[in-house]
Amino acid sequence: MPAPLLEVRGLKTYFTLWGGVVKALDGIDLTLGVGEIMGIVGESGGGKSVTAFSIMRLIDPPGRIEAGKILFEGEDLLSKSEAEMRKMRGRAISMVFQDPMTALNPLHTIKDQIDEALRLHTGMNERERGERILSLLHEVGIPNPEERLSSYPHQFSGGMLQRVVIAIALAAGPRLIIADEPTTALDVTVQAQILSLMEATVRERGAALILITHDLAVAAGMADKIAVMYCGRVVEAGTADSVIRSPAHPYTRGLLNSMPSAAQTKGRLAQIPGVVPSLLDLPPGCAFAPRCELACDACGAGVPAMVQVEPGHEAACFALNGGGNI
Amino acid sequence: MLIYLVQRFLQTIAVLVAVSVIVFFVMSFTGDPVMMIVPPDATAEQIEAARHELGLDRPLPVQYIVFMDNLLHGDMGRSYLFRQPVVKLITERVKATLEMVMLAVLLSLAVAIPAGVYAAAAPDSRLSRALMGGSLFGISLPSFWVGILLIFVFAVEWGLLPSSGRGKTVAGWSFLTRDGLAHLIMPSVTLALGTLAMLTRLVRAQMREVLRQDYIRFARAKGVSPSGLLFSHALKNALIPVITVFGLQVGNLIAFATVTETIFAWPGMGKLLIDAINTSDRPIIVAYLMIVAVIFVGINFVIDVAYTLIDPRIDLR
């Protein structure tokens, strides 16, 4: 097995607030191979975005990465200086943000904003950059790119802007792209287009993609691997097939059951009872226990460790240890 | 754009008419200029003769119509006291005020923008705290007091800078000579201080607001350096409200120049105005206020155009 592109080990990111310490990430592990697509799913507050920004080392005070390792191509990003990290951002690892309407600077032209990434990360001269910008815009499906170069973000629709953001993310040829809910802010009609565009461009370039989404269906449709996050921990991770086919954690099953499907036309959609607890006031032991139908005494006593369900598929639930009551 | 220009022009005319009417009628209640001109022992006939000569024996509306008629022919009248055309009196002094105000404007921008950006970029540093604390003084201290303090320290105690007058001028400008420049420094600094302090705080507040935006985070994710973030991505976006306030402040500087000119015996328009008010010299007051009104409208026009240059989303209509 080749060395993974990205290996996150025991990553802890805490936010120190007035009310106490929020453990936004409390020791997560992720492994992503070269060219793989990983979907990170879960409800809001699970730590998905914090994971993305921790990998980019863009956690601002009062947040702090407390512990762990983020090995990218074998090097620990957490031991790099800020200047070294700046050279990685946009070049080796780039990001696609949730809301393209606010991610682009309203006072700079589309061309300038793509050009900036090329200027920072490639040695190209102005003519080469101009050609690259056109080919990037063409690649992400902007019609008549020549005419749109000097446009400003407010002259584009949300879907078109997200294409521009993707072009910026692709510009310097990164090995990893992190997309943080890239379609949440868009019209439903363009969501599928943007997702298939991302999948196609990433596959074509052999780049890896971390797709953060609250929509398990989206992850199931395009990811090779899925990691399910709940309250700052990865509760289930594995190949997409295995996780979708045989979900082991009650939370994952809850997410799957609450998805509408074409086959199910009658009856109410299932939902997970209760709400995500405040990270300032987590229940002891397994954070999902208060909402879990399988909860037993052990769940309140300690945090369950990841247990192998199948080869390449793990979940963290005490019920798996006994094996009987699933 | 053309429609905008025409609108602006018509607005200017309306402002000027309004200013002239208000000033003309209000000033007629503030004292009798004739009594300022005639000798203390003048007879009733002499007073009447002087009143007739100045045209002040006619009804006020007639006086106003005569004034406006002359104005349309480029004549703003003569000073009662100096017996000289008002336009000549004002143009002689406008350079003095303009160079003081311009230097104050440049000074406040040159300090406020870097200081505000720095204070926003490193809000917890000692220098930032000192800047913010100092700016409170700058806003709170009245300019006449600052002027007197500067005179006391730099002119009286240390003898470094001259305390009054314009020094040697070339073609009516002080800043062209070394001596004139030395005379210009204290009045300009005094005038600039309040604006400088206010703009520093405003730049900082706006920068902090912009630095929280999503596109700044996205730029960081692109690998943009901290200085690139501040100057290429954030400063421009922070400038729109700064420019608005700046425009208003330039107007205020011209108005407050009156006080500063009085302290430093700076022979500018403001000092002329104060003298004219003391002697009820109405033509000067009316002409001064109309010129200031034109300057205000002109500044606002420049600001409007500046908006469109900075922000492509703003369209003049």
Side-chain angles (χ1 to χ4, degrees):
Chain A
M1 193 174 136
L5 178 74
L6 178 78
E7 244 189 305
V8 176
R9 289 289 164 258
L11 182 64
K12 296 186 177 185
T13 303
Y14 293 175
F15 289 76
T16 310
L17 306 177
W18 283 102
V21 175
V22 170
K23 298 179 174 178
L25 294 184
D26 199 10
I28 66 160
D29 298 323
L30 295 170
T31 307
L32 186 64
V34 174
E36 276 184 336
I37 297 181
M38 172 186 275
I40 300 184
V41 293
E43 286 164 287
S44 305
K48 305 182 305 270
S49 293
V50 177
T51 305
F53 286 106
S54 296
I55 294 170
M56 295 298 280
R57 284 256 316 265
L58 286 175
I59 297 289
D60 289 322
R64 226 177 85 81
I65 298 176
E66 290 287 330
K69 278 195 167 78
I70 301 172
L71 299 170
F72 182 81
E73 296 177 337
E75 292 178 62
D76 189 359
L77 298 183
L78 296 181
S79 63
K80 286 189 181 292
S81 71
E82 176 58 26
E84 288 170 326
M85 210 44 225
R86 214 179 299 136
K87 285 196 189 121
M88 306 281 293
R89 293 183 197 125
R91 183 181 306 185
I93 311 174
S94 64
M95 268 190 90
V96 173
F97 276 31
Q98 178 169 346
D99 187 352
M101 305 282 203
T102 58
L104 293 172
N105 192 321
L107 305 190
H108 292 240
T109 61
I110 299 304
K111 175 173 189 269
D112 284 347
Q113 305 202 41
I114 304 174
D115 194 39
E116 184 172 40
L118 294 173
R119 261 196 337 265
L120 287 167
H121 299 302
T122 67
M124 291 188 221
N125 65 32
E126 201 177 337
R127 193 181 49 79
E128 291 168 336
R129 294 202 309 268
E131 286 167 8
R132 173 63 74 84
I133 292 169
L134 282 178
S135 74
L136 280 166
L137 287 176
H138 186 74
E139 188 181 347
V140 297
I142 303 258
N144 304 324
E146 295 86 357
E147 293 163 24
R148 307 309 301 265
L149 286 178
S150 55
S151 301
Y152 289 91
H154 72 279
Q155 294 162 321
F156 278 65
S157 68
M160 283 294 147
L161 283 182
Q162 197 61 303
R163 290 172 192 266
V164 173
V165 170
I166 293 169
I168 293 172
L170 294 173
R175 275 91 78 198
L176 171 62
I177 297 173
I178 304 174
D180 186 5
E181 308 242 7
T183 57
T184 308
L186 302 178
D187 284 346
V188 182
T189 46
V190 292
Q191 289 185 356
Q193 293 172 16
I194 294 292
L195 287 170
S196 60
L197 169 70
M198 291 202 68
E199 186 175 6
T201 48
V202 165
R203 296 272 189 221
E204 192 175 312
R205 288 154 177 264
L209 172 69
I210 293 180
L211 178 71
I212 292 172
T213 172
H214 58 258
D215 189 345
L216 193 53
V218 165
M222 103 188 225
D224 306 310
K225 283 181 174 173
I226 287 178
V228 181
M229 288 188 73
Y230 188 77
C231 290
R233 292 208 177 88
V234 175
V235 294
E236 180 157 7
T239 61
D241 282 348
S242 177
V243 171
I244 298 297
R245 187 168 29 80
S246 50
H249 197 282
Y251 180 59
T252 314
R253 283 203 298 275
L255 287 178
L256 274 170
N257 289 336
S258 54
M259 271 165 49
S261 70
Q264 180 195 3
T265 51
K266 274 191 228 149
R268 290 173 68 91
L269 208 52
Q271 55 180 350
I272 305 173
V275 291
V276 180
S278 158
L279 286 173
L280 274 171
D281 188 24
L282 282 182
C286 174
F288 187 64
R291 303 172 72 184
C292 181
E293 52 199 1
L294 302 176
C296 57
D297 292 345
C299 300
V303 179
M306 285 291 240
V307 183
Q308 192 178 63
V309 183
E310 303 174 343
H313 179 183
E314 301 178 301
C317 179
F318 285 120
L320 292 171
N321 295 354
N325 42 357
I326 300 181
Chain B
M1 189 66 187
L2 188 68
I3 298 170
Y4 169 79
L5 284 177
V6 172
Q7 272 178 357
R8 259 299 143 104
F9 183 72
L10 293 177
Q11 277 170 12
T12 310
I13 303 283
V15 166
L16 289 182
V17 170
V19 167
S20 66
V21 170
I22 293 168
V23 174
F24 212 84
F25 287 91
V26 168
M27 279 314 294
S28 66
F29 298 115
T30 58
D32 189 351
V34 180
M35 301 312 282
M36 297 289 179
I37 297 162
V38 296
D41 56 349
T43 62
E45 288 80 36
Q46 284 173 313
I47 293 175
E48 268 323 296
R51 192 181 298 282
H52 180 73
E53 191 196 329
L54 295 178
L56 293 174
D57 53 346
R58 284 182 277 183
L60 207 56
V62 177
Q63 290 182 36
Y64 180 72
I65 289 165
V66 170
F67 167 77
M68 286 309 278
D69 184 49
N70 287 339
L71 185 67
L72 291 178
H73 295 92
D75 179 9
M76 298 190 89
R78 281 168 174 270
S79 157
Y80 298 151
L81 200 65
F82 298 97
R83 305 292 173 105
Q84 283 178 343
V86 167
V87 174
K88 179 163 170 280
L89 285 170
I90 289 182
T91 46
E92 274 171 7
R93 286 163 175 79
V94 77
K95 284 181 180 172
T97 298
L98 276 187
E99 69 177 344
M100 183 174 76
V101 169
M102 282 313 295
L103 189 62
V105 164
L106 292 179
L107 208 61
S108 39
L109 281 183
V111 176
I113 290 179
V117 169
Y118 176 79
D124 295 325
S125 78
R126 276 159 186 256
L127 182 57
S128 294
R129 288 170 197 271
L131 282 171
M132 287 303 103
S135 71
L136 275 185
F137 280 99
I139 287 176
S140 324
L141 297 178
S143 64
F144 64 86
W145 190 81
V146 173
I148 291 167
L149 193 74
L150 287 180
I151 289 177
F152 178 72
V153 174
F154 291 98
V156 179
E157 287 291 309
W158 294 350
L160 287 175
L161 292 169
S163 65
S164 71
R166 295 187 68 193
K168 201 180 277 176
T169 59
V170 172
W173 298 106
S174 282
F175 74 95
L176 294 174
T177 69
R178 216 186 148 81
D179 180 50
L181 208 54
H183 280 80
L184 188 56
I185 290 174
M186 281 206 292
S188 294
V189 170
T190 304
L191 190 59
L193 209 60
T195 303
L196 189 158
M198 195 180 144
L199 285 180
T200 304
R201 295 187 76 84
L202 186 66
V203 169
R204 170 181 175 272
Q206 287 303 320
M207 284 294 286
R208 283 185 61 103
E209 179 66 33
V210 171
L211 287 173
R212 271 202 296 273
Q213 299 296 314
D214 219 19
Y215 54 80
I216 296 296
R217 216 174 201 204
F218 185 62
R220 285 172 70 196
K222 263 159 94 176
V224 178
S225 67
S227 66
L229 284 177
L230 289 176
F231 292 103
S232 156
H233 280 274
L235 184 57
K236 208 175 165 193
N237 306 56
L239 276 184
I240 289 283
V242 174
I243 284 181
T244 309
V245 172
F246 172 74
L248 295 171
Q249 281 294 310
V250 173
N252 277 346
L253 287 181
I254 294 171
F256 278 112
T258 317
V259 177
T260 313
E261 283 172 8
T262 309
I263 299 167
F264 291 96
W266 188 261
M269 289 201 305
K271 197 157 182 317
L272 183 71
L273 176 73
I274 296 289
D275 293 343
I277 290 173
N278 284 333
T279 56
S280 295
D281 203 343
R282 196 169 65 200
I284 292 184
I285 300 170
V286 176
Y288 170 85
L289 289 174
M290 290 184 74
I291 288 174
V292 169
V294 170
I295 293 177
F296 263 82
V297 175
I299 291 170
N300 276 310
F301 172 72
V302 173
I303 300 290
D304 278 358
V305 174
Y307 284 156
T308 61
L309 294 181
I310 289 179
D311 193 335
R313 291 167 298 181
I314 294 176
D315 188 13
L316 291 183
R317 249 189 277 270

